């Protein structure tokens, strides 16, 4: 491995770095935005993961841009929406951070267009009515 390759069990080359959205500065720790995005989607259940996502979106424009071009926005948005749906069990600070994350993302016109194209097959946590084959954008409007 080269001196800068610290990506776990496998090395990353320049092509993988470009596709994954890596921070690629000399001496910087390389982080795969792809793996980070997918992991956040799996772990968005508590304050720590929500604050981490907020910090990354607010403080790292490269990660924000990476998130905005992803085609699978439901990976992160569905867990966020579920937390918003369960807002009565959350503190005002938690709800505020969730809404700010949605605000940061929704400032981008392509994000707004894309969430209305992405169809969500089933929303098991939404109890008021059965939602099938609705768009992610429509679900967000219903929740807000």
């Amino acid at each position: 491995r080269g001196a800068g390759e610290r990506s776990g069990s496998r090395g990353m080359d320049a092509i993988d770095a470009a596709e994954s959205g890596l921070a690629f500065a000399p001496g910087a720790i390389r982080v795969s935005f792809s793996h980070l995005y997918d992991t956040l989607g799996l772990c968005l259940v508590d304050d720590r993961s929500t604050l981490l996502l907020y910090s990354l979106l607010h403080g790292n424009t490269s990660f924000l841009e990476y998130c905005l071009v992803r085609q699978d926005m439901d990976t992160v948005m569905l867990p966020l929406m579920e937390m918003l749906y369960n807002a009565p069990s959350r503190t005002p600070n938690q709800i505020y951070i969730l809404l700010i994350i949605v605000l940061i993302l929704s400032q981008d016109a392509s994000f707004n267009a894309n969430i209305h194209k992405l169809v969500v097959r089933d929303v098991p946590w939404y109890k008021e009515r059965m939602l099938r084959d609705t768009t992610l954008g429509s679900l967000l409007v219903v929740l807000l």
Side-chain angles (χ1 to χ4, degrees):
R1 281 192 178 170
E5 292 181 17
R6 297 179 216 138
S7 60
S9 62
R10 68 178 188 93
M12 295 193 155
D13 57 18
I15 294 171
D16 191 26
E19 290 174 355
S20 300
L22 289 177
F24 220 43
I29 296 174
R30 297 179 185 173
V31 176
S32 168
F33 284 173
S34 176
H35 292 131
L36 182 59
Y37 182 88
D38 292 337
T39 302
L40 280 169
L42 294 172
C43 298
L44 279 175
V45 294
D46 62 7
D47 293 346
R48 290 176 292 172
S49 56
T50 306
L51 284 172
L52 176 60
L53 178 60
Y54 166 77
S55 297
L56 288 167
L57 293 174
H58 181 67
N60 188 330
T61 56
S62 296
F63 184 73
L64 173 60
E65 290 170 7
Y66 177 80
C67 292
L68 293 173
V69 299
R70 287 286 296 236
Q71 297 299 312
D72 60 342
M73 288 175 272
D74 57 327
T75 301
V76 168
M77 288 302 297
L78 283 175
L80 283 176
M81 288 183 198
E82 184 175 2
M83 287 190 284
L84 281 171
Y85 177 74
N86 295 317
S89 66
R90 305 225 173 259
T91 67
N93 291 341
Q94 293 169 330
I95 296 168
Y96 176 78
I97 290 295
L98 294 169
L99 291 173
I100 293 298
I101 291 170
V102 172
L103 177 64
I104 289 170
L105 295 171
S106 66
Q107 289 177 336
D108 183 75
S110 64
F111 171 84
N112 293 326
N114 289 336
I115 63 170
H116 288 287
K117 293 176 187 171
L118 185 61
V119 176
V120 178
R121 298 286 171 225
D122 189 28
V123 187
W125 43 264
Y126 190 81
K127 303 295 182 198
E128 282 74 14
R129 122 178 323 187
M130 185 180 295
L131 294 177
R132 293 199 184 273
D133 299 327
T134 188
T135 65
L136 194 62
S138 295
L139 179 59
L140 185 58
V141 169
V142 167
L143 290 175
L144 296 178

